């Protein structure tokens, strides 16, 4: 098992159902930030499913482990530059939880 998956498994081991629910349904940005800081990754966003994950060594991770990728994923940085009209809504609803 790689070090990222071990970290995720250790993290959720305290309360798997609750933590997976919290960090997949509504607070995924914050878990993506934890992984990005811990493993020097980059936050990515999928506007189709409105979900954040972290890209580390060309692999996307979220609270459930490795994320299946498709063409819907875009780096959060690029998304903020290319789709500015949607950013405020996503920040307010997904990150700030207004």
């Amino acid at each position: 098992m790689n070090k990222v998956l071990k970290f995720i498994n250790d993290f959720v081991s305290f309360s798997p159902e609750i933590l997976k629910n919290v960090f997949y349904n509504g607070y995924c940005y914050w878990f993506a930030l934890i992984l990005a800081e811990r493993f020097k990754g980059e936050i990515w966003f999928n506007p189709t499913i409105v979900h954040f994950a972290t890209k580390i060594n060309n692999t996307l991770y979220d609270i459930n482990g490795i994320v299946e990728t498709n063409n819907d994923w875009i780096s959060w940085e690029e998304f903020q530059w290319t789709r500015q009209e949607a950013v405020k809504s996503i920040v307010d609803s997904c990150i700030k939880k207004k």
Side-chain angles (χ1 to χ4, degrees), residues 5-96:
L5 289 176
K6 181 177 179 346
F7 178 86
I8 293 169
N9 287 337
D10 289 349
F11 189 92
V12 299
S13 69
F14 299 107
S15 185
E17 285 185 43
I18 292 171
L19 290 172
K20 284 185 177 190
N21 186 44
V22 167
F23 286 112
Y24 191 82
N25 299 307
Y27 290 89
C28 55
Y29 171 82
W30 297 105
F31 192 72
L33 182 63
I34 290 168
L35 292 180
E37 290 293 319
R38 173 68 175 82
F39 296 101
K40 308 287 186 255
E42 181 181 19
I43 297 175
W44 279 58
F45 181 67
N46 184 323
T48 303
I49 61 172
V50 189
H51 186 63
F52 288 92
T54 306
K55 191 170 199 175
I56 303 164
N57 297 327
N58 292 319
T59 301
L60 282 175
Y61 297 91
D62 70 4
I63 193 69
N64 293 306
I66 295 174
V67 175
E68 295 294 322
T69 59
N70 58 33
N71 292 334
D72 294 340
W73 288 96
I74 182 172
S75 77
W76 179 235
E77 185 176 322
E78 182 179 343
F79 185 87
Q80 290 178 85
W81 283 105
T82 60
R83 302 187 195 170
Q84 294 176 356
E85 71 286 349
V87 171
K88 182 178 180 346
S89 174
I90 293 164
V91 169
D92 286 349
S93 64
C94 296
I95 298 173
K96 292 183 178 179

